[in-house]
């Protein structure tokens, strides 16, 4: 991936990843160029929607012109608001195009039905950090959407749009001051990264993809710090970007977890791994699950001691006999200890978690 020219790299990422992309994730694949150069190329092939980047329909080589029209119309609506009412769509999209509409809605949004609102909500939370950091790009993209809307009106979406969902997020208004974004009430919009807003900012797609991706990271690094996990998720997306689309999409979606608030990523990590004094170890070994009972014994011994605790062979054998009610074999002992520890003289200590073997 990194060996490709910048433009080809961007096109490949846009086409093979999820429906929309965060700038911070895309830019990770182009650390060799400045933001200005990267954004110039990115805007040739993608459109800004809620601070995220969606590939242009022309780049995706859709099966027909009608599919492009429907997709562009839905993205136009989502660029203006994170929700679309069902009445808007039914009144503006011709009956013969509604099957195509459903395909793209499934990709971009989730259905919501209540007494006050029936429609669709954009799956991914807005990237407020990008909106705040690049107001000129946001303004330029508004002009692009205005041009697209004029063209779309010839074929679709000519009727007045209905009411929004009452609790929908207000559309940001870009001020003349770089780095500041206000909503219609005039209050500053908080940065979506690292600020608790009372709702999850990690998409369901990412939450579902992370456990599998995390397991892949732990297969490479048996013991990980939080920083190494984040690095591993991004590297995984790079190394596996040539896989079939379904699997590659899983990896890219999981890498988005790195941009979510850290407490949300920690929540998913804790589902598959155990925290040992700030370092993480898989609860179950994908390679040797038959040794998981002994693995848990060793993990408990490490957690019960100080951060620099040293485990002696006799201590492990004794603890295993008490907990497992049997004598363990030398083979399973060596498998478990070598997996998460390193030998220091006559004792074992937890691996460093920094990616190094010791």
């Amino acid at each position: 991936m990194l060996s490709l020219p910048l433009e080809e790299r961007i096109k490949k990422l846009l086409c093979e990843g999820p429906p929309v992309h965060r700038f911070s994730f895309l830019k990770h694949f182009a650390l060799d160029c400045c933001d200005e150069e990267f954004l110039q190329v990115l805007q040739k092939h993608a459109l800004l929607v809620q601070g995220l980047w969606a590939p242009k329909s022309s780049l995706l080589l859709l099966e027909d012109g009608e599919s492009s029209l429907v997709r562009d119309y839905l993205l136009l609506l989502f660029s203006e608001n994170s929700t679309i009412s069902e009445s808007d769509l039914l009144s503006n999209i011709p009956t013969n195009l509604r099957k195509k509409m459903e395909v793209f809605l499934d990709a971009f949004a989730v259905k919501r039905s209540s007494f006050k609102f029936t429609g669709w909500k954009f799956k991914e939370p807005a990237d407020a950090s990008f909106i705040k950091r690049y107001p000129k790009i946001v303004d330029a993209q508004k002009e692009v959407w205005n041009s697209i809307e004029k063209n779309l009106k010839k074929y679709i979406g000519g009727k007045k749009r209905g009411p929004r969902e009452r609790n929908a997020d207000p559309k940001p208004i870009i001020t003349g001051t770089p780095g500041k974004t206000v909503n219609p009430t005039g209050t500053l919009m908080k940065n979506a990264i690292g600020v608790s807003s009372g709702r999850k900012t990690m998409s369901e797609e990412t939450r579902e993809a992370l456990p599998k991706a995390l397991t892949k990271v732990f297969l490479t690094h048996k013991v990980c710090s939080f920083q190494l996990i984040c690095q591993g998720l991004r590297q995984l997306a790079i190394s596996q970007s040539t896989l079939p689309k379904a699997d590659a999409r899983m990896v890219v979606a999981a890498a988005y977890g790195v941009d979510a608030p850290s407490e949300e990523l920690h929540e998913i990590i804790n589902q598959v791994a155990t925290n040992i004094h700030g370092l993480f170890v898989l609860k179950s070994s994908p390679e040797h699950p038959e040794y998981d009972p002994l693995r848990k014994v060793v993990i408990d011994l490490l957690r019960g001691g100080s951060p620099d605790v040293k485990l002696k062979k006799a201590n492990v054998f004794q603890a295993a006999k008490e907990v497992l009610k049997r004598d363990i074999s030398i083979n399973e002992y060596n498998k478990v200890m070598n997996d998460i520890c390193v030998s220091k003289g006559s004792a074992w200590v937890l691996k460093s978690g920094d990616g190094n073997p010791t």
Side-chain angles (χ1 to χ4, degrees):
M1 173 71 78
L2 297 179
S3 62
L4 294 173
L6 177 61
E7 187 162 0
E8 293 305 310
R9 213 180 310 168
I10 290 175
K11 289 163 67 175
K12 186 176 180 66
L13 284 168
L14 290 170
C15 291
E16 295 188 356
V20 292
H21 308 256
R22 289 185 178 272
F23 174 77
S24 59
F25 174 73
L26 293 171
K27 186 61 173 65
H28 183 77
F29 293 83
L31 299 176
D32 55 334
C33 73
C34 65
D35 288 2
E36 183 179 0
E37 179 188 0
F38 185 83
L39 283 165
Q40 185 176 3
V41 178
L42 180 60
Q43 289 182 90
K44 289 173 59 178
H45 302 290
L47 296 165
L48 192 66
V49 181
Q50 296 291 323
L52 306 160
W53 292 94
K56 290 183 177 180
S57 296
S58 57
L59 181 64
L60 297 178
L61 300 176
L62 300 176
E63 60 185 21
D64 54 53
E66 290 181 343
S67 294
S68 294
L69 285 173
V70 173
R71 182 178 182 274
D72 287 348
Y73 181 64
L74 292 177
L75 287 176
L76 169 65
L77 295 183
F78 281 127
S79 73
E80 297 174 341
N81 189 35
S82 61
T83 58
I84 304 175
S85 71
E86 185 175 60
S87 59
D88 278 350
L89 293 178
L90 295 181
S91 63
N92 285 292
I93 294 186
T95 305
N96 64 311
L97 297 181
R98 288 179 187 170
K99 284 190 176 181
K100 297 180 186 295
M101 173 193 77
E102 291 172 0
V103 172
F104 292 117
L105 280 173
D106 285 342
F108 291 118
V110 291
K111 183 74 178 288
R112 280 192 168 185
S113 298
S114 67
F115 177 73
K116 296 179 180 179
F117 176 83
T118 299
W120 287 264
K121 181 172 178 62
F122 202 57
K123 281 182 180 179
E124 290 290 337
D127 190 348
S129 60
F130 181 88
I131 294 172
K132 290 174 65 176
R133 187 176 178 184
Y134 300 101
K136 291 183 178 179
I137 298 295
V138 175
D139 288 340
Q141 284 292 301
K142 284 182 181 179
E143 293 302 315
V144 173
W145 278 119
N146 287 339
S147 177
I148 292 174
E149 183 174 20
K150 290 177 183 177
N151 182 60
L152 286 172
K153 281 183 177 179
K154 301 174 185 176
Y155 311 98
I156 196 172
K159 297 182 181 179
K160 186 177 180 180
R161 294 168 198 160
R164 298 177 178 180
E165 181 183 10
R166 176 169 292 185
N167 294 325
D169 297 331
K171 181 183 175 183
I173 300 173
I174 306 303
T175 70
T177 305
K180 288 189 176 181
T181 306
V182 298
N183 62 26
T185 64
T187 57
L188 287 175
M189 177 184 287
K190 292 183 178 179
N191 190 326
I193 306 301
V195 176
S196 176
S197 60
R199 66 182 179 88
K200 297 293 184 183
T201 59
M202 187 185 292
S203 71
E204 286 304 314
E205 182 181 16
T206 298
R207 296 177 74 84
E208 291 174 5
L210 269 172
K212 183 177 179 181
L214 285 168
T215 300
K216 289 179 179 288
V217 171
F218 278 104
L219 282 173
T220 302
H221 308 290
K222 305 296 185 180
V223 179
C224 297
S225 64
F226 181 73
Q227 291 76 15
L228 184 60
I229 289 173
C230 294
Q231 178 185 333
L233 287 172
R234 293 193 187 280
Q235 289 178 339
L236 188 65
I238 295 173
S239 65
Q240 301 205 5
S241 61
T242 57
L243 292 178
K245 286 188 178 181
D247 204 7
R249 185 172 298 156
M250 176 277 296
V251 176
V252 174
Y256 278 166
V258 179
D259 290 325
S262 62
E263 63 269 18
E264 293 187 22
L265 181 54
H266 272 98
E267 179 185 335
I268 305 298
I269 294 172
N270 289 333
Q271 292 178 15
V272 299
T274 299
N275 188 330
I276 306 177
H277 304 300
L279 300 177
F280 295 90
V281 176
L282 278 181
K283 295 177 180 179
S284 175
S285 169
E287 298 164 310
H288 299 287
E290 67 273 21
Y291 300 143
D292 282 351
L294 177 58
R295 184 184 184 89
K296 186 177 185 307
V297 170
V298 174
I299 288 174
D300 288 343
L301 287 173
L302 291 167
R303 294 186 71 191
S306 62
D308 58 352
V309 63
K310 295 181 179 180
L311 300 182
K312 298 278 191 177
K313 180 179 178 181
N315 300 138
V316 176
F317 270 74
Q318 180 62 34
K321 188 168 186 177
E322 292 177 1
V323 175
L324 305 180
K325 309 301 181 185
R326 65 177 177 84
D327 291 324
I328 60 173
S329 68
I330 290 294
N331 182 56
E332 62 182 315
Y333 168 78
N334 287 333
K335 289 285 188 183
V336 171
M337 299 307 291
N338 281 298
D339 200 37
I340 60 179
C341 295
V342 291
S343 178
K344 296 287 186 181
S346 60
W348 295 87
V349 297
L350 183 65
K351 289 181 178 178
S352 62
D354 59 4
N356 294 319
T358 59

